[in-house]
Amino acid sequence: METSARTVRPHVTARTAAVWAVLRRELDRQAGRELTVLDVGGGTGGFAVPLAEAGHTVTVIDASPDALAALTRRAADAGVADRVRAVQGDGDALASLVDPASADLILCHSVLEVVDDPAGVVAAIAAALRPGGAVSVLVAGRAAAVLGRAVNGHLKAASALVTDPAGRAGPRDTLLRRYDAAGATDLLTVAGLEVEDTQGVRVVADLLPAAVLEEDPQAVLELELALSGRAPFRDVASQLHLFARRPAAGLS
C-alpha cells in the first residue's frame, strides 16, 4: 500500500539519535509505502507513535498493561489511534502472537536481555518478517557494564561480567544476559537474517554529568552520532544496535 511521504519527527535525544538515524534511512528507502511495523516490547510508544505519525501502521506487543494503556493515550493524543494497535504479551510468546511473513519492519529494543529464549524470539522475528523486511535490535552491551562497575569500585561484579558466559554481574543482576557485537550478530545470523549495520548507542551520554547534557544537548547528540559507528567507541557503548534484513529470496 502506498502512502504520502511524511517525515518522522520524534523527540530525538542523544540516547536515541543513532537508532533513529538508521530507521530514517530505512523509511527513506521505503518512501511511498505504508509499512506494517511490529514493535516488540514497545512499551509506551516512544518509537511506535512517531512511526504511526509518519503514516505507517504499528502493532506494539508488551507484557505491561500499564505501558499499553499509556501507549493508547499517547496515540490518541497524537491523532494516530487508528494506526496503533496494542497487544499484551511477552517476547517469548511472539511466535503465537504474529502471523508469518506479515511485517515489513520489526523493532526489538531491550528485549533479548530479559526473555528466557532469545534465540527463539529472534527466530520468531525472522519468520514474522516479509522477505526483504528488516529488524532493528537493541541490546545491552557487556563491555560498558564491565567498565561501569569497575569505575564505581564494584570490582567483583565487574569480574563476574567478564567471566560469566551470559555477561551477568551475579544472581541479583536484573538482566539475564548482555552482548558484544559478535555475539549479537551470531544470534541474528543463525536465524537467517543478514546484519547490515552495527552501532553503539549511548556511547558517551551515560557517562556525562547532567549539567553537561543540559548545557549543550545538541553537541552531545552530534558526538553520539559521530562515535556510534566507529570502533572502539561503538564496542563500549551502553547498548548495541543491529539492523538486519530477511533476504528477499527467503530464509536459507
Side-chain angles (χ1 to χ4, degrees), residues 5 8 12 18 45 51 56 98 100-101 110 139 167 200 207 216 218 225 234 240:
V8 181
V12 175
L51 289 169
H56 307 291
V98 183
S110 302
V139 294
L207 304 176
D216 197 344
Q218 184 63 29
L225 288 174
R234 176 197 71 185
L240 298 172

Side-chain angles (χ1 to χ4, degrees), residues 122 125-126 129 133 135 185 188-195 244-247 251:
V122 173
I125 286 171
L129 282 172
V135 58
T185 297
L188 300 183
T189 302
V190 167
L193 300 169
E194 296 178 350
V195 176
R245 194 173 305 278
R246 175 175 173 171
L251 293 175

Side-chain angles (χ1 to χ4, degrees), residues 12-252:
V12 175
T13 69
R15 291 182 168 88
T16 62
V19 178
W20 274 118
V22 174
L23 291 178
R24 282 198 190 96
R25 285 201 296 269
E26 179 64 11
L27 297 180
D28 289 344
R29 181 179 181 270
Q30 303 285 355
R33 292 186 60 213
E34 178 182 326
L35 301 182
T36 299
V37 183
L38 176 65
D39 191 351
V40 184
T44 61
F47 283 88
V49 170
L51 289 169
E53 289 178 307
H56 307 291
T57 58
V58 188
T59 297
V60 176
I61 297 176
D62 200 282
S64 168
D66 291 340
L68 293 177
L71 163 71
T72 301
R73 292 192 297 270
R74 188 175 193 169
D77 290 344
V80 293
D82 59 330
R83 291 186 175 276
V84 177
R85 185 168 70 105
V87 176
Q88 187 173 357
D90 60 34
D92 283 305
L94 184 61
S96 65
L97 297 172
V98 183
D99 292 332
S102 61
D104 299 299
L105 175 64
I106 297 179
L107 278 58
C108 181
H109 296 171
S110 302
V111 171
L112 299 181
E113 310 90 316
V114 297
V115 294
D116 293 328
D117 181 14
V121 173
V122 173
I125 286 171
L129 282 172
R130 294 184 175 123
V135 58
S136 167
V137 174
L138 194 64
V139 294
R142 184 199 292 248
V146 173
L147 294 175
R149 300 299 197 284
V151 298
N152 284 295
H154 305 300
L155 300 183
K156 289 184 179 179
S159 295
L161 281 161
V162 172
T163 58
D164 185 82
R168 300 190 74 206
R172 295 185 180 180
D173 199 329
T174 57
L175 299 184
L176 296 179
R177 62 193 65 83
R178 291 177 179 84
Y179 294 88
D180 56 25
T185 297
D186 288 346
L187 186 65
L188 300 183
T189 302
V190 167
L193 300 169
E194 296 178 350
V195 176
E196 296 180 349
D197 197 3
T198 303
Q199 301 174 292
V201 175
R202 292 154 52 195
V203 178
V204 297
D206 289 353
L207 304 176
L208 298 174
V212 175
L213 294 171
E214 294 168 3
E215 179 182 0
D216 197 344
Q218 184 63 29
V220 178
L221 188 153
E222 291 172 0
L223 182 58
E224 281 285 338
L225 288 174
L227 298 178
S228 63
R230 300 187 182 188
F233 309 107
R234 176 197 71 185
D235 301 310
V236 296
S238 294
Q239 293 176 298
L240 298 172
H241 180 232
L242 292 88
F243 194 77
R245 194 173 305 278
R246 175 175 173 171
L251 293 175
S252 57

